[in-house]
Amino acid sequence: MIEDVVATYGDLFEIDQNLDRLVKNIELLNFLNPLNIEQEKKSFFASKYRKNPSFKYRKIKFNPYKMQRLFFNQRLERIEDDEIRKLYQDIIYEYSGLIQCIETIGSGKNFYYNSLKVFGTPKERDVDNARFILHFKDETPADNTIKKYSADEAEVYFRKFANRYDFDFNIKKSTHISASAMVLNASETLLLKKNYQFSDNELMVLANHEIGVHMVTTFNGKSQPLKIFSNGFVNNTETQEGLAVFSEYMSGCLTLKRMKELAYRVIAADSLIKGYDFKGTFDLLYSQYKLDRDAAWQITLRVHRGGGFTKDYLYLTGLKKIYDYYHSDLDMTPLLTGKVTLENRDSILRLQKLGLANQNGHITDSFSQNLNKNKKLDFILSNLK
């Protein structure tokens, strides 16, 4: 069956495979996480938050100009289907934008402007939503928020959690990541922050977020005939992170504190377009919003790495879109076919009808039953603009 499809769409598969070979070099987060986070954190705190950090980054191992040329050399006119040709055209522009981001990491405003092109910036509505969430009174911390597990103990938990899924992945530990955990799609790796202490709730959150969604869409994407499902559709970050946080909600481990963290990320991303430097964003979170200094550092680091990285505001906008989608009684499974977007749902269904996309081999198990018991979260999510 697949041989017949490949024969019918030979030019499409050739272009798709060409793009796959090229895109393996441009996983942005591989280059974006600073190499000297802990040293610069100590220096920043020692300076009483007055001296901006000076981050160092991995050197890129490809020629960005040559890579751009190879992307745009693809003869898309050979794809006869107008809708599929447009999909690939948009994807090439997206990948081109990611190359520009990687090429300019650490260059300040140049990276920021490239980040804006790929990820956008919070709108006034998004900032209003963030402030709405921050108006709610903090809940009493539960015992399960006490940090007590090492990265080694977390690895044991994640491997046990992953038994419910029929796939194998790598787990590695690193000091060179800004998050407590993250998935590297290309190498099928869950990266854990070395020397980080995890709480019971964080383990649940990260398991459902990183394994239950990001790993599920990694392996579903890699099982598709077309490699774009694995390498990513245009603007897939918003949908992918929305699905991942929604998995936290459905599994009953999303908290108001976590929602506020997403709101602070929006506030921090918005500070970039207002011209704040690192110490300015940190002061906004630490002095004005009264975040503890470690949390303020972490959020500030995430948005200022590279020279100004706006992606973090998309977690909240994505969560709202997925929450509304779920409550519209629409099928969630098309959104799990790979690194895809909600906006391309109809295209995904059409590709499946044409035999160019498979049904999912893995389904996020938290989506089968809503275990959220926090009515305040439902009130907040249903009232976001």
Side-chain angles (χ1 to χ4, degrees):
M1 177 66 181
I2 187 62
E3 291 81 7
D4 295 337
V5 173
V6 172
T8 304
Y9 295 93
D11 290 333
L12 168 62
F13 277 92
E14 182 181 335
I15 290 168
D16 182 74
Q17 287 163 5
N18 289 343
L19 294 179
D20 181 55
R21 283 190 290 271
L22 294 172
V23 83
K24 289 189 186 307
N25 292 310
I26 60 171
E27 189 153 7
L28 177 59
L29 293 181
N30 262 341
F31 300 96
L32 188 59
N33 289 311
L35 299 173
N36 57 338
I37 293 173
E38 295 305 319
Q39 301 95 306
E40 289 304 306
K41 181 179 180 181
K42 287 177 184 174
S43 298
F44 182 69
F45 286 174
S47 76
K48 303 295 184 187
Y49 328 127
R50 292 181 188 139
K51 184 182 176 185
N52 284 326
S54 178
F55 293 120
K56 296 176 182 175
Y57 301 93
R58 286 182 180 85
K59 291 182 179 178
I60 59 176
K61 297 178 180 178
F62 61 88
N63 183 315
Y65 177 80
K66 182 180 178 183
M67 183 74 78
Q68 294 276 12
R69 181 165 55 79
L70 291 170
F71 271 113
F72 286 107
N73 270 352
Q74 302 307 312
R75 296 176 60 188
L76 295 186
E77 69 276 5
R78 291 163 59 193
I79 301 176
E80 295 181 2
D81 187 295
D82 291 344
E83 186 178 326
I84 297 175
R85 185 172 62 251
K86 178 66 165 60
L87 179 67
Y88 272 77
Q89 180 178 311
D90 292 343
I91 283 171
I92 285 176
Y93 281 121
E94 173 97 344
Y95 294 165
S96 169
L98 291 174
I99 294 170
Q100 289 177 300
C101 283
I102 292 170
E103 184 180 10
T104 52
I105 286 173
S107 65
K109 288 295 183 186
N110 286 336
F111 174 82
Y112 172 60
Y113 294 138
N114 287 323
S115 170
L116 279 179
K117 283 190 286 186
V118 176
F119 299 102
T121 191
K123 299 179 177 64
E124 188 176 338
R125 175 195 65 210
D126 303 323
V127 177
D128 288 343
N129 282 339
R131 289 174 178 153
F132 171 68
I133 293 168
L134 296 175
H135 280 140
F136 286 85
K137 186 178 178 182
D138 288 336
E139 296 169 336
T140 304
D143 289 343
N144 66 5
T145 62
I146 299 169
K147 295 180 183 292
K148 54 189 177 184
Y149 300 103
S150 68
D152 287 338
E153 290 168 320
E155 178 178 353
V156 173
Y157 177 91
F158 294 137
R159 292 211 180 275
K160 185 176 179 182
F161 179 91
N163 286 338
R164 66 189 71 185
Y165 294 106
D166 183 25
F167 50 66
D168 294 316
F169 57 92
N170 307 304
I171 297 182
K172 295 182 180 178
K173 302 172 190 74
S174 171
T175 56
H176 306 320
I177 59 174
S178 55
S180 54
M182 61 179 280
V183 166
L184 294 177
N185 180 50
S187 60
E188 301 168 5
T189 299
L190 175 61
L191 215 53
L192 303 180
K193 191 169 189 176
K194 203 172 182 179
N195 303 325
Y196 185 83
Q197 290 286 305
F198 299 82
S199 70
D200 285 297
N201 186 256
E202 277 180 311
L203 291 178
M204 286 180 64
V205 163
L206 291 168
N208 283 283
H209 184 112
E210 303 293 350
I211 300 172
V213 170
H214 290 326
M215 277 296 178
V216 162
T217 56
T218 286
F219 283 95
N220 281 342
K222 290 192 174 189
S223 72
Q224 297 292 344
L226 294 172
K227 303 301 184 183
I228 56 165
F229 282 89
S230 175
N231 295 323
F233 283 38
V234 174
N235 300 327
N236 70 82
T237 296
E238 183 178 50
T239 297
Q240 293 300 307
E241 298 302 351
L243 287 166
V245 181
F246 187 69
S247 180
E248 301 172 30
Y249 163 84
M250 290 291 284
S251 58
C253 56
L254 184 63
T255 61
L256 178 59
K257 181 182 179 183
R258 171 72 163 151
M259 286 290 292
K260 286 191 171 187
E261 178 189 329
L262 303 184
Y264 287 126
R265 290 180 184 181
V266 175
I267 299 295
D270 183 61
S271 77
L272 294 173
I273 207 164
K274 292 181 168 64
Y276 286 47
D277 61 4
F278 189 103
K279 63 182 185 293
T281 301
F282 178 88
D283 184 66
L284 174 68
L285 298 174
Y286 179 63
S287 300
Q288 183 173 326
Y289 284 99
K290 308 302 181 187
L291 273 179
D292 73 69
R293 70 177 192 168
D294 285 320
W297 161 270
Q298 182 68 17
I299 292 169
T300 304
L301 167 65
R302 289 178 64 100
V303 302
H304 278 275
R305 54 187 162 159
F309 189 45
T310 57
K311 168 199 161 187
D312 268 6
Y313 84 95
L314 293 169
Y315 286 71
L316 191 57
T317 61
L319 173 59
K320 172 60 175 172
K321 285 184 177 181
I322 298 298
Y323 181 85
D324 289 347
Y325 178 90
Y326 173 81
H327 286 283
S328 300
D329 291 326
L330 293 168
D331 184 11
M332 299 288 286
T333 54
L335 308 185
L336 298 172
T337 51
K339 306 302 179 182
V340 301
T341 61
L342 177 61
E343 289 73 17
N344 284 116
R345 176 182 174 273
D346 290 344
S347 295
I348 295 164
L349 295 175
R350 181 168 180 264
L351 288 170
Q352 288 177 337
K353 279 187 177 179
L354 293 172
L356 291 167
N358 298 327
Q359 299 297 320
N360 296 329
H362 311 285
I363 302 294
T364 301
D365 66 346
S366 65
F367 291 169
S368 64
Q369 184 182 6
N370 187 349
L371 299 179
N372 174 63
K373 300 289 189 289
N374 191 330
K375 299 301 180 188
K376 190 181 290 184
L377 292 182
D378 281 312
F379 177 81
I380 290 171
L381 287 166
S382 60
N383 282 282
L384 294 178
K385 300 173 185 174

